[in-house]
Amino acid sequence: MVRCICFAQVEAYEEPLLHQVTLRNGVVPTSVCLNQTNTDQLLAGDVSGAVSLIDVETGTVISTMASGAASDSVSADGQGDARVMSVVSHPTLPLAISGHADKCVRSFDVRQGKCTKTIAAHHGVVTSVSVDASGVFIATASHDQRIRTWDISTSKIIQSIDSHMTHRKKGDEAVHCVAFHPLLPILSSAGADGIVRIYL
């Protein structure tokens, strides 16, 4: 089991607690996932917009990959404009893909330890990112009420599901999460309107 906690730590454990990892300078983690191309590693996004690679066995931070955004620092309120909202691992390539509060999606080369691509993806915070099982497409969700499917190799939008088909806004929030089915050509989303939607 892996989880982020608000005390600037990432925990990785089976039972009992295996490790409790504090990111550099106490930066707060926001999202965590297993590195699918090396399951001895975790990926953790944080409020500065960076993604850290963590060794599960030792609990040490192997590397921290800056997003390259102008706002890679954390403001006085503890939030970075480029903070990571969601991070996922590509199923077959050494890539981490993240959605950010600055409306961008970024890909990080885990082996090189750096951000390799930034896409201006939405008109609102990118709340969730999902990679399909084949590793060819990513889906992004945003508080702009849109869900978009992208070709990973070209960074082109394949499909955009607009607001009339997704989730109604509630305050400043709309689409919270998006996920591909691991076997079927199905995409699902959850939103601030309290609804789970399934798309073919």
Side-chain angles (χ1 to χ4, degrees), residues 6-97:
C6 63
F7 304 111
Q9 297 171 338
V10 175
E11 295 180 346
Y13 58 96
E14 291 173 9
E15 287 296 328
L17 178 66
L18 179 63
H19 294 292
Q20 189 166 296
V21 181
T22 301
L23 299 180
R24 72 201 184 290
N25 302 322
V27 172
V28 177
T30 55
S31 183
V32 66
C33 69
L34 279 173
N35 180 359
Q36 292 189 45
T37 57
N38 183 346
T39 55
D40 292 333
Q41 300 172 342
L42 300 175
L43 294 161
D46 66 45
V47 295
S48 77
V51 174
S52 295
L53 187 63
I54 300 168
D55 185 292
V56 172
E57 292 299 317
T58 65
T60 57
V61 176
I62 298 167
S63 66
T64 299
M65 301 169 278
S67 70
S71 59
D72 261 353
S73 60
V74 179
S75 62
D77 66 356
Q79 300 294 310
D81 293 335
R83 68 188 176 276
V84 175
M85 304 302 291
S86 175
V87 64
V88 295
S89 174
H90 191 279
T92 59
L93 299 174
L95 291 176
I97 301 164

Side-chain angles (χ1 to χ4, degrees), residues 110-125:
V110 175
R111 287 191 187 140
Q112 292 181 22
K114 66 179 184 177
C115 180
T116 56
K117 188 179 293 184
T118 299
I119 304 166
H122 285 273
H123 298 290
V125 172

